[in-house]
């Protein structure tokens, strides 16, 4: 979908981004982070701006968006906004409870008037977030938060938990890594000795028991690791599917928001109706912006 270049008000002025362009930038950043190519523990690796510029040339052709200064400046601004909002949401009251939360349906920070007043007294600049929307906060948590590998580890079931379920006692390290020496199989194994002397028979029996335990332990550990990997893959697939649906809903909200002739209440009603079914979202987002409002009125006559 072609987008018109946003007007520039002069040299040194910030570029005015449309909601559509911001949504495409956020999507490109999420793709970049998930690929792991340009994400590091301390931010982004060199070359990420060129990656995003190329991505926006495809998703926003003729927009005139450049890596520098446009994307670089907007990413810095997004990160600052996210850092401020994230700090508020993770702040605690004197009693240890959290005062702020994020309302995904309204794209806003919410809290009681008392919490707001107390916080603004300490941080006056936070007043803007009392009414200001943050359309991509949850996406920014993925983009600017911890790296993808750490996120997947947080959702993965520790191998130690699985091993314990199948009868193995594990001396787990802080990273839940498992070595053969850490495993002690709880069940004994039976063996018979053909030796004529009790001493030799006992020695052979002990060796066989040790070998059996080690083999069984190693097999269970390997099986547990395979199970853990499959669970992790399944969890990652579910997370990605949920993320994709959230992203699609976000794009619907942005697209409806750009229909300037609609009152705010009608926008909410139409957006809720479109988001009620995945196929409706697919069709709506595939339409040119100029025909989205006529489509809404034909599709949902008398709704508003």
């Amino acid at each position: 979908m072609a987008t018109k270049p946003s007007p520039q008000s002069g040299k040194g002025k910030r570029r005015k981004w449309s909601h559509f362009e911001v949504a495409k930038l956020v999507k490109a950043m999420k793709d970049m982070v998930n690929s792991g190519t340009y994400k590091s523990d301390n931010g982004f690796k060199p070359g990420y701006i060129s990656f995003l510029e190329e991505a926006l040339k495809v998703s926003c052709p003729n927009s005139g968006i450049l890596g520098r200064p446009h994307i670089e400046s907007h990413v810095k601004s997004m990160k600052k906004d996210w850092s401020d909002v994230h700090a508020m949401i993770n702040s605690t009251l004197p009693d240890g409870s959290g005062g702020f939360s994020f309302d995904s349906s309204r794209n806003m920070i919410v809290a009681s008037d008392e919490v707001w007043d107390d916080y603004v007294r300490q941080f006056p600049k936070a007043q803007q977030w009392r009414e200001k929307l943050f359309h991509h906060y949850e996406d920014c948590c993925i983009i600017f938060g911890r790296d993808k590998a750490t996120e997947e580890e947080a959702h993965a079931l520790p191998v130690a938990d699985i091993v314990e379920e199948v009868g193995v006692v594990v001396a787990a390290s802080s990273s839940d890594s498992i070595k053969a020496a850490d495993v002690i199989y709880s069940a004994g194994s039976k063996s018979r000795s053909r030796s004529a002397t009790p001493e030799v028979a006992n020695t052979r029996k002990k060796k066989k028991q040790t070998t059996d335990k080690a083999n069984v332990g190693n097999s269970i550990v390997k099986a547990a690791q395979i199970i853990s990997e499959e669970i992790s893959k399944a969890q990652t697939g579910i997370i990605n599917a949920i993320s994709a649906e959230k992203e699609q809903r976000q794009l619907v909200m942005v697209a409806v928001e750009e229909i300037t002739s609609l009152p705010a209440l009608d926008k909410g009603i139409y957006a809720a109706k479109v988001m009620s079914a995945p196929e409706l979202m697919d069709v709506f987002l595939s339409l040119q912006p100029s025909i989205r409002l006529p489509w809404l009125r034909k599709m949902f006559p008398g709704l508003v």
Side-chain angles (χ1 to χ4, degrees):
M1 183 185 300
T3 57
K4 296 181 180 179
S6 297
Q8 305 295 314
S9 53
K11 186 177 180 180
K13 298 293 184 179
R14 284 190 176 183
R15 184 183 195 280
K16 186 177 180 181
W17 290 66
S18 69
H19 290 300
F20 177 81
E21 291 169 347
V22 173
K24 291 301 182 181
L25 175 61
V26 169
K27 183 181 184 304
M29 294 182 73
K30 283 180 64 180
D31 292 342
M32 178 185 71
V33 168
N34 287 330
S35 71
T37 306
Y38 294 101
K39 186 72 167 74
S40 67
D41 293 341
N42 298 320
F44 302 119
K45 297 177 182 178
Y48 83 93
I49 292 178
S50 297
F51 174 90
L52 295 175
E53 182 177 347
E54 291 302 316
L56 264 63
K57 282 181 181 178
V58 176
S59 60
C60 302
N62 305 319
S63 64
I65 298 175
L66 301 175
R68 290 186 174 88
H70 304 144
I71 294 175
E72 183 178 42
S73 174
H74 199 74
V75 168
K76 287 180 180 178
S77 177
M78 285 175 57
K79 185 172 184 179
K80 184 182 182 304
D81 286 348
W82 173 79
S83 297
D84 292 344
V85 171
H86 197 62
M88 293 173 66
I89 293 175
N90 288 277
S91 63
T92 56
L93 299 176
D95 62 1
S97 61
F100 293 99
S101 61
F102 191 79
D103 187 339
S104 299
S105 62
R106 298 165 58 197
N107 296 308
M108 294 180 66
I109 303 175
V110 293
S112 66
D113 289 338
E114 182 181 0
V115 170
W116 270 114
D117 293 341
D118 289 344
Y119 194 85
V120 170
R121 273 194 291 270
Q122 300 179 58
F123 308 99
K125 291 184 178 180
Q127 175 66 30
Q128 63 174 318
W129 293 109
R130 205 159 187 167
E131 302 293 337
K132 186 176 178 180
L133 302 181
F134 196 155
H135 286 291
H136 303 283
Y137 170 73
E138 292 169 331
D139 291 330
C140 285
C141 288
I142 297 173
I143 294 168
F144 299 118
R146 55 190 179 175
D147 59 80
K148 182 173 179 286
T150 306
E151 182 184 9
E152 288 180 352
E153 286 174 4
H155 294 286
L157 187 64
V159 176
D161 293 346
I162 302 174
V163 174
E164 287 181 344
E165 290 296 323
V166 293
V168 177
V169 180
V170 178
S173 64
S174 58
S175 63
D176 284 334
S177 62
I178 297 180
K179 300 177 182 178
D182 295 326
V183 182
I184 304 173
Y185 190 60
S186 59
S189 62
K190 297 181 181 181
S191 64
R192 293 183 180 181
S193 171
R194 296 180 181 178
S195 172
T197 62
E199 292 81 4
V200 174
N202 288 335
T203 300
R204 289 179 177 175
K205 182 178 180 180
K206 288 179 181 179
K207 286 182 178 179
K208 190 176 186 306
Q209 287 176 337
T210 301
T211 301
D212 288 346
K213 288 178 181 179
N215 290 339
V216 172
N218 288 336
S219 298
I220 293 177
V221 170
K222 289 179 181 179
Q225 289 173 335
I226 292 172
I227 293 171
S228 177
E229 289 173 1
E230 292 302 317
I231 291 175
S232 179
K233 289 178 183 178
Q235 289 174 328
T236 300
I238 294 171
I239 292 168
N240 289 339
I242 293 173
S243 177
E245 183 179 352
K246 283 186 177 180
E247 181 178 318
Q248 192 175 36
R249 288 175 178 273
Q250 187 68 56
L251 289 174
V252 169
M253 292 292 293
V254 169
V256 173
E257 185 69 27
E258 290 181 338
I259 304 176
T260 56
S261 60
L262 275 178
L265 179 59
D266 292 353
K267 289 179 181 179
I269 295 173
Y270 275 130
K273 196 67 177 177
V274 172
M275 291 188 293
S276 65
E279 55 271 19
L280 288 176
M281 291 192 287
D282 290 338
V283 173
F284 179 71
L285 293 173
S286 70
L287 299 174
Q288 294 290 332
S290 59
I291 63 173
R292 283 173 176 167
L293 180 56
W295 181 85
L296 289 172
R297 286 174 172 164
K298 276 190 168 293
M299 192 69 188
F300 309 111
L303 183 63
V304 295

